[in-house]
Amino acid sequence: MATDCEAWLNANPVEAEDLSDSFASGDEDNGRSAIANKNINNEVNGNWLSSSSNSIHEARLKAKAKRRLRKNSSRDSGRGDSLSDNGDVVRGTSAAPTSPKSKLLDRKSRLGKGRGLPKKGGAGGKGVWGRSGEVYEPEAVDEKDPNYDEAQENCVYETVVPPLDERDFEKTVTPIVQEYFEHGDTNEVAELLAELNLGPMRSEVPSLAVSLALEAKASHRELTSRLLADLCGPVLSRSDMENSFDKLLQELPDLVLDTPGAPQLVGQFIARAVSDQILSKGYIEGYKGRVDCEYTREALDRAAVLLKMNMGGLRIDNQWGTGGGQRPVIQLIKEMNLLLKEYILSGDSKEAERCLRDLEVPHFHHEFVYEAIVMVLESKGEKTFKMVMRLLKLLSVSSIITVDQMRRGYERVYMDIAEINIDVPRAYFILEQFVDKSLSMGIIDVKLRDLCPCRGRKRFVSEGDGGVVKVESY
């Protein structure tokens, strides 16, 4: 054994130097190392040993070297050299070192298997119900399940919407009708009403829409008549319409308090409903002989008169007119010209103000100002001049025609005065007088007055001026 240990120590002098402090270091001179090598078997740490104790010490050194090499080999995982059972040196493979700590955080397969795909085919993870595009088949009921209930096997689950009562009905349907007055889409109203469980309140929809339209504009009443015609059939039945108009006739004494002209307006709604085939032709005749309220009688008489006029050629579908935003521009211009001509003949400025407001085109009032000034330029007397000036002053004070619309109307006349002067030779002169008068009455400001164009003419002055051409205005 001592011979084997000595042979191994001679083959690995570096490792042998590292194993014990009793070995001489490599930094010593050759003479000292030779003495140490000669006496290594007989002296350890300055003490002389016998042969038996020397062998025991060599055995300990060999065991210590084995433990050191075994520990290094396990740490390096096959890297470097290892020692066999009989003490021979075995060259290991150069494998990459692995750390025990890194293995704990490694999510890859320990066996080196797999194709690098996500776990569970991408259906795993927090908050995931399955892989995308997966369709689940109906699950078979297990009759042996302790929670199995035979009564629930044929159950059908549906969403139940409770019916609306009178209070919730007004809060829900009123915003729908008011929003309809803005967009005018009857299909949207039908879809919203279909989602509600109206129940016994179904016949209240037409009466609520008509009562809201009585306090609105003429264009809103036209939209209400169209809405009733489109809802009859898909959402409401004809009996619902008849019950609703019956309720309107009964509530006329209360409606008159807020809308004095309610009887005539309700009569027009009834005539329009009969014309649109929402109500039967015998609806009005069914009230003959059993009407006690004067307001109800007035409404039915109004409806009967309109239906007779319809047979004579009057179109009831145009009785409410068309909203300003829906009218063509040519029609608006014609109505404004008719309004001005009627005002010149009658002199009723209040009626002209009401008619202009009923047109519902505040964005188009500059056309009214333009047509009024052109009418003054084309007139031949002072009457039209004074009446138009008075009307523009009234509309400016009441803010029906805004400052911006008034300015645009004057500027349009300034731009077209050259063409107007072809037909009206004195157009420049009349326009200057009209603008000065408008400034004095406070209809326009000084800046707009200064923009007024003036016609210049060329003339030769006297011979003393040397025949210089001068430009003057008149």
Side-chain angles (χ1 to χ4, degrees):
M1 180 182 294
T3 306
D4 296 338
C5 183
E6 184 178 359
W8 181 84
L9 291 173
N10 292 331
N12 299 275
V14 177
E15 288 80 4
E17 291 172 2
D18 295 335
L19 293 177
S20 175
D21 296 333
S22 63
F23 294 168
S25 63
D27 296 336
E28 298 177 353
D29 55 355
N30 295 331
R32 186 176 180 181
S33 61
I35 295 173
N37 290 333
K38 180 178 180 180
N39 298 328
I40 193 171
N41 295 328
N42 298 323
E43 183 179 359
V44 176
N45 294 331
N47 298 322
W48 293 96
L49 301 176
S50 61
S51 61
S52 59
S53 62
N54 190 15
S55 62
I56 294 173
H57 184 68
E58 291 176 355
R60 289 178 179 175
L61 291 177
K62 183 178 179 180
K64 188 175 182 181
K66 282 186 177 182
R67 288 196 300 272
R68 286 280 187 94
L69 292 175
R70 187 180 298 112
K71 185 177 180 181
N72 292 336
S73 64
S74 63
R75 182 181 299 171
D76 297 340
S77 299
R79 181 180 61 185
D81 302 336
S82 61
L83 191 66
S84 64
D85 294 338
N86 56 4
D88 298 335
V89 178
V90 179
R91 299 293 178 181
T93 58
S94 58
T98 58
S99 174
K101 185 177 180 181
S102 65
K103 288 184 179 180
L104 297 175
L105 302 177
D106 188 10
R107 299 177 63 90
K108 296 183 180 179
S109 176
R110 301 295 186 273
L111 301 178
K113 297 181 180 180
R115 297 174 293 171
L117 299 178
K119 297 175 65 176
K120 299 182 182 180
K126 184 178 180 181
V128 179
W129 290 67
R131 62 175 56 92
S132 60
E134 183 176 0
V135 180
Y136 295 94
E137 298 179 357
E139 184 179 358
V141 180
D142 187 7
E143 297 182 358
K144 298 181 180 180
D145 189 353
N147 296 326
Y148 173 75
D149 188 1
E150 185 178 0
Q152 297 181 357
E153 185 174 356
N154 297 325
C155 290
V156 179
Y157 298 94
E158 295 180 356
T159 303
V160 178
V161 180
L164 295 176
D165 55 4
E166 185 176 358
R167 181 180 304 175
D168 295 336
F169 172 78
E170 293 184 0
K171 292 182 179 179
T172 305
V173 180
T174 301
I176 296 177
V177 177
Q178 291 177 347
E179 185 178 359
Y180 165 72
F181 290 158
E182 301 296 331
H183 58 73
D185 188 0
T186 58
N187 294 328
E188 182 176 351
V189 179
E191 292 177 359
L192 293 175
L193 293 178
E195 295 175 358
L196 302 176
N197 186 4
L198 298 176
M201 304 299 294
R202 186 179 301 274
S203 59
E204 300 290 334
V205 176
S207 60
L208 178 61
V210 172
S211 61
L212 293 175
L214 293 178
E215 302 176 358
K217 303 176 183 179
S219 59
H220 296 166
R221 296 165 192 158
E222 174 64 23
L223 291 174
T224 304
S225 297
R226 295 181 184 178
L227 178 63
L228 298 181
D230 292 341
L231 291 181
C232 185
V235 180
L236 305 175
S237 61
R238 181 174 291 185
S239 60
D240 294 333
M241 292 291 179
E242 293 181 357
N243 295 334
S244 181
F245 278 98
D246 291 341
K247 182 180 178 181
L248 278 173
L249 293 175
Q250 295 175 3
E251 295 178 350
L252 274 178
D254 297 333
L255 295 176
V256 171
L257 299 177
D258 297 330
T259 309
Q264 302 219 1
L265 295 177
V266 172
Q268 291 180 237
F269 273 111
I270 293 175
R272 177 68 178 270
V274 174
S275 176
D276 294 338
Q277 299 180 358
I278 299 175
L279 299 177
S280 61
K281 295 182 178 179
Y283 177 79
I284 299 177
E285 297 179 358
Y287 276 92
K288 286 185 177 181
R290 58 187 188 92
V291 177
D292 297 332
C293 179
E294 58 175 341
Y295 298 114
T296 303
R297 189 181 301 107
E298 183 180 354
L300 294 174
D301 292 341
R302 175 66 175 172
V305 170
L306 290 176
L307 290 175
K308 290 181 180 179
M309 295 175 64
N310 185 28
M311 297 178 182
L314 177 65
R315 296 182 59 185
I316 299 182
D317 55 350
N318 290 333
Q319 63 178 348
W320 302 115
T322 307
Q326 302 176 359
R327 295 186 182 187
V329 176
I330 299 177
Q331 182 180 357
L332 287 174
I333 295 175
K334 290 181 179 180
E335 292 188 4
M336 288 181 178
N337 285 325
L338 291 175
L339 192 157
L340 288 170
K341 291 179 181 179
E342 182 180 356
Y343 166 70
I344 296 298
L345 294 176
S346 63
D348 190 353
S349 57
K350 295 294 183 181
E351 180 67 16
E353 179 182 353
R354 185 190 65 80
C355 293
L356 183 62
R357 187 186 294 109
D358 291 342
L359 289 178
E360 301 179 18
V361 284
H363 60 282
F364 202 61
H365 284 172
H366 61 87
E367 179 66 27
F368 180 82
V369 178
Y370 175 83
E371 295 294 339
I373 298 176
V374 171
M375 182 177 292
V376 172
L377 297 179
E378 295 177 352
S379 64
K380 298 180 180 180
E382 294 291 333
K383 178 183 177 181
T384 305
F385 186 97
K386 294 179 180 180
M387 294 185 66
V388 170
M389 186 66 64
R390 190 187 322 123
L391 179 61
L392 292 181
K393 176 62 177 180
L394 175 64
L395 297 177
S396 176
V397 172
S398 61
S399 298
I400 295 178
I401 299 180
T402 61
V403 177
D404 179 65
Q405 294 293 317
M406 190 74 71
R407 171 180 290 272
R408 291 183 60 185
Y410 275 81
E411 289 177 350
R412 287 184 57 191
V413 176
Y414 294 168
M415 294 174 59
D416 297 343
I417 188 62
E419 297 181 2
I420 298 174
N421 187 70
I422 298 175
D423 299 328
V424 183
R426 300 179 70 250
Y428 279 97
F429 178 73
I430 300 175
L431 180 61
E432 288 182 3
Q433 289 184 343
F434 189 85
V435 170
D436 293 338
K437 188 66 175 178
S438 300
L439 177 63
S440 62
M441 297 183 66
I443 300 176
I444 61 175
D445 54 3
V446 179
K447 294 182 180 180
L448 187 58
R449 193 276 308 270
D450 295 339
L451 295 176
C452 179
C454 58
R455 181 182 181 184
R457 63 187 183 90
K458 299 178 181 180
R459 67 180 182 85
F460 285 97
V461 295
S462 61
E463 296 179 356
D465 294 332
V468 179
V469 178
K470 294 185 178 181
V471 179
E472 295 183 359
S473 61
Y474 62 91

